[in-house]
């Protein structure tokens, strides 16, 4: 076997970091149904088959509409604990030893769920995973970019009561029409609190949004960044500054950002010196956890073992915690 062939156990056996995972996007259909029953929430689906059938997306917005509906079953501290511990168990099975996890506080506050409940459930699961799995995990609250900056700033004030429970802030939700510059004041405030900064940019949006994330928000990392390859100067800038990119192949395929993964930008960016990482985004909706995302890229881009080693190492190089 040549040095560049990837043995089937090799991927499984490497310790990995995951840096782009929305915890609400790890809500599996089975748990969705169980929590709906437990909390007397009426869903528009009767069974798993109807749920799976609904998970066919033509774009980001079609996914987000279903993703926000799914959260309606998350109500008690135990619900948040169960959700987090289920993800961390899957992560451990994929040999993840470090995970930085997004949560959408506005999506819970707007339903009347207190952040006491959210953080208490998550923290209990994260402490248990640290003990049982030796898995280090950290939270990064994201702000919903389809809402106003004022809403984000009010939420930021609420979040500051939980400052010790998270390491940074992010920006997610509907990208087109909601450019990073809309959240300049929010990111300025977060920087003053010594929080790490990250934003989804260049997923459906143009390279211009990635420039804004860098130059106006001052992000330390960029989520997705597929559009970067359309702008040579941007590619050079991202590489030169060592900005990590948290790419999510199966998400890109499901949301039609890159319908054919043979055209995925990961290898081109990595060959240009960009610190590309592989992540699962919303694995319950996009058909796979971290190792499946690596495998999809290996298969479609014909990655070498050296490429895989680099992708895995990059995630440890650009982690925040
Ligand atoms: N929220 C959850 N997943 C997301 C994604 N892929 N893009 C933007 N916002 C999200
Ligand atoms: Zn994401």
């Amino acid at each position: 076997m040549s040095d560049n062939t990837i043995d089937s156990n090799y991927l499984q056996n490497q310790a990995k970091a995951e840096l782009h995972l929305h915890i609400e996007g790890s809500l599996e259909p089975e748990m969705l149904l169980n929590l709906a029953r437990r909390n007397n929430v009426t869903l528009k689906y009767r069974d798993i088959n109807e749920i799976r059938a609904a998970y066919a997306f033509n774009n980001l917005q079609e996914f987000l509409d279903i993703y926000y509906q799914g959260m309606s079953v998350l109500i008690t501290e135990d619900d948040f604990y169960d959700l987090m511990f289920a993800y961390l168990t899957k992560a451990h099975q994929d040999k993840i030893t470090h995970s930085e996890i997004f949560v959408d506080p506005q999506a819970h506050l707007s339903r009347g769920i207190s952040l006491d409940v959210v953080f208490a459930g998550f923290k209990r699961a994260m402490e248990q995973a640290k003990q049982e799995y030796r898995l280090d995990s950290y939270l990064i609250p994201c702000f919903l970019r389809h809402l106003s900056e004022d809403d984000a700033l009010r939420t930021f004030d609420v979040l500051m009561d939980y400052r010790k429970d998270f390491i940074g802030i992010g920006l997610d939700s509907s990208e087109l029409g909601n450019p990073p510059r809309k959240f300049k004041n929010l990111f300025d405030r977060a920087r003053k609190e010594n929080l790490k900064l990250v934003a989804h940019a260049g997923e459906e949006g143009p390279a211009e949004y990635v420039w804004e994330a860098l130059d106006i928000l001052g992000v330390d990392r960029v989520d997705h960044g597929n559009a970067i390859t359309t702008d040579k100067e941007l590619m050079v800038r991202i590489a030169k500054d060592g900005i990590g990119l948290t790419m999510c192949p199966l998400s890109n395929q499901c949301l039609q950002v890159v319908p054919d993964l043979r055209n995925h930008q990961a290898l081109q960016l990595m060959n240009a010196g960009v610190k590309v990482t592989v992540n699962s985004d919303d694995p319950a909706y996009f058909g796979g956890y971290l190792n499946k995302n690596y495998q999809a890229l290996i298969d479609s881009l014909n990655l070498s073992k050296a490429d895989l080693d680099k992708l895995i190492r990059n995630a440890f190089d650009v982690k925040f915690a």
Side-chain angles (χ1 to χ4, degrees):
M1 193 185 293
S2 89
D3 230 20
N4 262 341
T5 314
I6 303 172
D7 169 282
S8 60
N9 291 321
Y10 184 79
L11 170 62
Q12 172 60 40
N13 290 337
Q14 299 306 301
K16 292 169 214 83
E18 175 151 64
L19 307 177
H20 183 165
L21 174 284
H22 301 264
I23 192 63
E24 298 90 345
S26 71
L27 178 57
E28 290 286 344
E30 291 80 2
M31 188 179 287
L32 181 70
L33 287 176
N34 286 340
L35 294 185
R37 232 171 273 131
R38 185 155 104 186
N39 293 324
N40 286 315
V41 174
T42 307
L43 295 174
K44 61 182 195 186
Y45 316 108
R46 276 170 305 188
D47 56 35
I48 299 268
N49 293 335
E50 284 193 12
I51 297 178
R52 292 202 195 283
Y55 290 3
F57 312 111
N58 293 302
N59 54 48
L60 175 59
Q61 193 59 51
E62 287 186 11
F63 156 68
L64 290 169
D65 293 343
I66 286 183
Y67 164 85
Y68 293 123
Q69 279 170 29
M71 291 180 205
S72 64
V73 302
L74 297 167
I75 294 173
T76 68
E77 182 188 319
D78 279 348
D79 301 339
F80 288 94
Y81 163 85
D82 287 344
L83 178 69
M84 180 61 82
F85 200 69
Y87 161 67
L88 292 170
T89 299
K90 289 252 171 52
H92 177 60
Q93 287 162 359
D94 274 355
K95 208 141 189 250
I96 293 174
T97 58
H98 179 107
S99 187
E100 299 183 2
I101 301 172
F102 293 142
V103 52
D104 286 332
Q106 287 158 299
H108 305 301
L109 288 169
S110 64
R111 300 183 293 115
I113 310 295
S114 153
L115 293 188
D116 278 347
V117 169
V118 177
F119 280 109
F122 285 165
K123 280 170 60 181
R124 183 151 55 91
M126 292 160 75
E127 280 156 19
Q128 190 179 340
K130 169 98 184 140
Q131 295 303 320
E132 286 184 20
Y133 302 148
R134 298 274 155 242
L135 197 175
D136 293 319
S137 56
Y138 303 88
L139 290 172
I140 301 178
C142 282
F143 291 85
L144 303 182
R145 66 202 305 158
H146 67 273
L147 301 177
S148 68
E149 190 185 46
D150 280 349
D151 196 298
L153 288 166
R154 281 193 297 274
T155 305
F156 188 82
D157 284 338
V158 177
L159 269 169
M160 288 314 289
D161 288 345
Y162 306 85
R163 173 64 187 86
K164 65 177 191 327
D165 296 330
F166 58 96
I167 58 171
I169 65 157
L171 185 66
D172 66 359
S173 195
S174 320
E175 187 179 11
L176 288 171
N178 296 296
R181 65 176 178 275
K182 184 174 158 186
F183 295 93
K184 179 182 185 322
N185 297 310
L186 171 70
F187 277 69
D188 284 347
R189 279 196 58 188
R191 187 175 308 102
K192 288 198 187 107
E193 300 292 344
N194 287 320
L195 286 156
K196 292 289 187 181
L197 307 176
V198 60
H200 285 53
E203 179 185 17
E204 281 191 342
E208 182 59 29
Y209 285 18
V210 181
W211 281 111
E212 288 187 15
L214 296 172
D215 291 339
I216 300 179
L217 303 186
V219 296
D220 303 290
R221 241 172 22 211
V222 170
D223 294 320
H224 295 294
N226 303 75
I228 292 167
T229 54
T230 65
D231 183 334
K232 270 264 156 57
E233 200 186 328
L234 179 57
M235 208 145 82
V236 171
R237 159 81 184 277
I238 295 254
K240 181 171 71 62
D241 289 357
I243 301 284
L245 274 198
T246 66
M247 304 197 89
C248 308
L250 292 177
S251 163
N252 293 157
Q253 187 176 43
C254 284
L255 301 185
Q256 314 293 325
V257 171
V258 187
D260 183 342
L261 285 185
R262 287 174 301 184
N263 300 321
H264 198 272
Q265 298 88 346
L267 189 57
Q268 186 190 346
L269 287 160
M270 195 160 64
N271 289 338
V274 178
K275 291 236 178 232
V276 175
T277 69
V278 176
N279 307 273
S280 68
D281 206 7
D282 302 284
Y285 293 89
F286 302 147
Y289 287 77
L290 186 60
N291 285 358
K292 277 204 174 173
N293 276 271
Y294 274 107
Q295 193 64 56
L297 264 200
I298 290 168
D299 295 342
S300 52
L301 298 180
N302 204 9
L303 296 184
S304 68
K305 182 164 166 295
D307 295 329
L308 174 60
D309 287 343
K310 187 152 191 81
L311 287 167
I312 291 173
R313 199 170 343 109
N314 283 346
F316 287 102
D317 288 349
V318 301
K319 66 186 169 61
F320 287 159

